[in-house]
Amino acid sequence: MPTQSAPKLSATVLAKNEAENIDSCLEALSFCDEIIVLDNGSTDETARIARERGVDVFTVEGMPGFGALHNMASDRANGEWILVIDA
C-alpha cells in the first residue's frame, strides 16, 4: 500500500465575517494540497461554509494581532510551502 506524503502546498486563510467571499476564496485556492481557515470569531456563516467545502477550520476569539493570527494558522499547516491569504 502506498504511503500518503505530506502536502506540498498549504494555504492558510484568515477570515472574519467573510460569508459572502469565503466560497470564491476557497475555490481560487483549490490548486493547493491543503487549505486551513483560521476564523477570527465570525458572527456570520463563514466557518460553516468553509467546513462544507471540506477544509480545516479553526476558531480564535479576540484579536491578538495579525502576525499572531498568521503564525497560529501557519503552525497548523503541514505543507512544505505555505501560501498565506487574508479572505
Side-chain angles (χ1 to χ4, degrees):
M1 177 168 27
T3 59
Q4 192 172 9
S5 61
K8 292 185 179 184
L9 178 61
S10 296
T12 61
V13 181
L14 297 187
K16 181 171 184 175
N17 295 329
E18 292 288 346
E20 291 185 24
N21 302 314
I22 196 69
D23 197 51
S24 59
C25 176
L26 297 176
E27 178 65 30
L29 295 171
S30 64
F31 65 93
C32 295
D33 300 307
E34 173 186 54
I35 302 173
I36 296 167
V37 172
L38 189 123
D39 182 77
N40 190 216
S42 293
T43 57
D44 64 6
E45 299 296 313
T46 300
R48 181 191 59 78
I49 294 167
R51 282 188 186 97
E52 285 179 357
R53 289 195 52 84
V55 303
D56 292 327
V57 179
F58 300 94
T59 302
V60 173
E61 298 293 332
M63 184 55 180
F66 287 109
L69 291 172
H70 282 293
N71 288 338
M72 286 179 207
S74 294
D75 286 346
R76 297 184 186 277
N78 296 302
E80 185 176 338
W81 294 90
I82 302 172
L83 176 62
V84 178
I85 302 289
D86 291 332

